[in-house]
Amino acid sequence: MTNIQFAKRLQPLQSNVFADMDRAKATALAAGRQVIDLSLGSSDLPAEAHVIEAIAQSLHDRSTHGYLLFNGTQGFREAAANWYKQKFGIKVNPQTEVLPLIGSQEGTAHLPLAILNPGDFALLLDPGYPSHAGGVYLASGQIYPMPIRAENGFLPVFADIPAPVLAQSRMMVLSYPHNPTAAIAPLSFFQEAVAFCQQHNLVLVHDFPYVDLVFGETGEWLDYSPNPKSKIQNPKSLVPSILQADPKKSVSIEFFTLSKSYNMGGFRIGYAIGNAELINALRQVKAAVDFNQYRGILNGAIAALTGPQAGVKTAVATFQQRRDAFITALHRIGWKVPTPQATMYIWAKLPSSWSQNSVEFCTQLVKQTGVAASPGAGFGKSGEGYVRFALVHEPPLLETAVERIAEFLN
């Protein structure tokens, strides 16, 4: 026993269903089972050779071995701004509207420290990505979960937010294409969200890691008119940026990571882009916590953003092939699930016998078959009754996983 007193803000962070699932996987491995892990959304695809080469060359440059301050990140910030201009036709100032991050998760976790005072509300999607809630708890804020349901296309209904909660709210967090449901949102929804946040003085945060993992697009970027009055937007994109709905960046900040598009999850590199005041506030928080990443990683990220994009198209085609194989296999065993248009996930409604116990379903599934999945309840109350499968293996292994699931269900 010790007399150490810990902060109350740690209490809501103690329950982690994914830690429980890790223990269940370890138990299955100890029992000699071959584990097919579909629980983590960590791409198994490699980063492109030209990205690795840029990092490798940096290792031998001793000028890259020291601390990296903000001014030293200018090349990366310019690459990010140019990428947004090419992709979405959004003009971005790399000096004031872009900030490098150690992955988008760092941004979503740290931004509440710059926005919320103790007791303030953040409006979060339910189900949603767990780190969004974690950042609010660390800032001693309160969470109002916005339920998202299949009948509404997994989009929140802003009119359902109680007025007393809204009066105490300071920020709203969205993320489309969505993890875990794989839902996408049209530009009209984002325009509604921007207008709502402007009306109620809310900061609008958009976590945007799956911008490229979209199926059924041409994958081509457009040339945009240099005329600043032009309102040309990319008609080929099923997934708009929040900045297309808020081109003046009045209330919005968006987080992008190279983890998914460029298979650089372990390199921990992303960026925030948007409202200059929000970028500056996040920069102040970040300055108190860390310096930037190793310069060589930023050089690799620049190579990814400015170099050949064939690897992105290959990744999209790979995950689409896996999606189709997994969906077909599930349908073959009688488990009817919708086909998602984006992300690397399948969001499956559980059979009625498990509809109120997704954690037990996943625990027993990995224990008896070695197939690991993520319980919907781990993403929020409204996720109960669902399970998320991550498509991080090749089709033959995915089909083997479904065969084992069939045995479990029978």
Side-chain angles (χ1 to χ4, degrees):
M1 294 293 290
T2 69
N3 293 320
I4 298 174
Q5 300 294 313
F6 291 100
K8 293 180 180 178
R9 68 175 60 89
L10 288 182
Q11 292 176 1
L13 303 179
Q14 292 174 0
S15 175
N16 188 330
V17 70
F18 298 106
D20 296 337
M21 287 306 303
D22 272 346
R23 285 189 288 271
K25 284 184 284 185
T27 300
L29 284 169
R33 292 199 178 278
Q34 176 207 23
V35 171
I36 303 176
D37 194 350
L38 309 182
S39 65
L40 295 178
S42 179
S43 175
D44 60 312
L45 304 180
E48 288 293 290
H50 66 280
V51 173
I52 301 302
E53 181 61 23
I55 297 173
Q57 290 182 4
S58 301
L59 291 171
H60 301 286
D61 180 359
R62 58 189 296 178
S63 71
T64 69
H65 295 179
Y67 290 126
L68 182 61
L69 302 180
F70 181 76
N71 286 338
T73 69
Q74 182 171 342
F76 173 72
R77 287 182 279 113
E78 289 176 349
N82 289 335
W83 189 91
Y84 256 75
K85 181 65 169 67
Q86 271 192 293
K87 183 80 169 176
F88 298 111
I90 302 292
K91 186 176 181 180
V92 177
N93 185 334
Q95 284 297 111
T96 60
E97 296 177 339
V98 182
L99 182 69
L101 297 172
I102 305 174
S104 63
Q105 182 165 329
E106 184 224 331
T108 57
H110 280 160
L111 185 64
L113 293 170
I115 303 298
L116 302 177
N117 289 312
D120 287 341
F121 272 96
L123 309 174
L124 306 186
L125 299 177
D126 176 21
Y129 191 58
S131 78
H132 298 166
V136 175
Y137 289 135
L138 288 176
S140 299
Q142 300 186 75
I143 290 173
Y144 178 78
M146 298 184 292
I148 55 175
R149 300 185 173 91
E151 56 265 31
N152 295 322
F154 293 110
L155 301 176
V157 179
F158 301 140
D160 290 346
I161 302 170
V165 170
L166 200 51
Q168 298 181 65
S169 298
R170 297 287 302 280
M171 62 187 292
M172 175 189 290
V173 181
L174 302 175
S175 184
Y176 292 96
H178 184 243
N179 178 12
T181 69
I184 60 175
L187 182 60
S188 58
F189 167 78
F190 285 123
Q191 290 169 334
E192 179 188 356
V194 168
F196 184 85
C197 289
Q198 288 172 334
Q199 178 184 353
H200 296 285
N201 297 316
L202 301 173
V203 170
L204 180 53
V205 181
H206 187 226
D207 197 9
F208 203 25
Y210 300 98
V211 52
D212 288 307
L213 289 190
V214 184
F215 313 120
E217 289 192 329
T218 64
E220 298 175 2
W221 294 357
L222 301 185
D223 292 326
Y224 291 91
S225 167
N227 180 359
K229 295 183 179 180
S230 173
K231 294 185 179 179
I232 297 174
Q233 292 165 340
N234 189 344
K236 299 177 183 179
S237 178
L238 292 172
V239 291
S241 161
I242 198 70
L243 302 183
Q244 289 178 277
D246 187 13
K248 294 183 179 180
K249 309 177 190 76
S250 62
V251 295
S252 304
I253 185 170
E254 191 157 69
F255 294 112
F256 176 74
T257 174
L258 280 77
S259 296
K260 310 302 181 183
S261 300
Y262 299 99
N263 305 315
M264 294 179 68
F267 295 96
R268 308 311 305 134
I269 178 66
Y271 56 84
I273 194 162
N275 178 277
E277 291 180 287
L278 293 173
I279 292 292
N280 185 60
L282 182 55
R283 181 181 168 188
Q284 289 177 275
V285 173
K286 186 174 174 64
V289 177
D290 65 68
F291 291 102
N292 294 285
Q293 295 95 316
Y294 170 53
R295 187 190 297 270
I297 292 177
L298 267 67
N299 289 341
I302 292 170
L305 293 171
T306 63
Q309 301 297 304
V312 178
K313 294 181 180 180
T314 298
V316 173
T318 297
F319 283 110
Q320 182 169 352
Q321 180 188 29
R322 293 176 180 184
R323 176 203 67 175
D324 293 345
F326 195 74
I327 290 286
T328 299
L330 285 178
H331 288 182
R332 191 161 53 239
I333 69 170
W335 194 344
K336 302 300 183 183
V337 299
T339 301
Q341 292 180 276
T343 78
M344 56 173 65
Y345 307 114
I346 302 298
W347 185 242
K349 192 171 185 178
L350 284 166
S352 57
S353 58
W354 295 97
S355 63
Q356 296 302 313
N357 206 339
S358 59
V359 174
E360 183 66 13
F361 173 86
C362 290
T363 301
Q364 291 301 319
L365 179 66
V366 71
K367 180 180 178 180
Q368 297 183 33
T369 72
V371 176
S374 292
F379 300 94
K381 182 179 179 181
S382 295
E384 184 57 280
Y386 288 84
V387 61
R388 191 198 73 177
F389 298 102
L391 303 172
V392 292
H393 294 289
E394 293 298 326
L397 199 54
L398 292 174
E399 290 170 353
T400 297
V402 175
E403 290 172 3
R404 295 186 186 181
I405 292 170
E407 294 172 2
F408 174 78
L409 292 175
N410 291 330

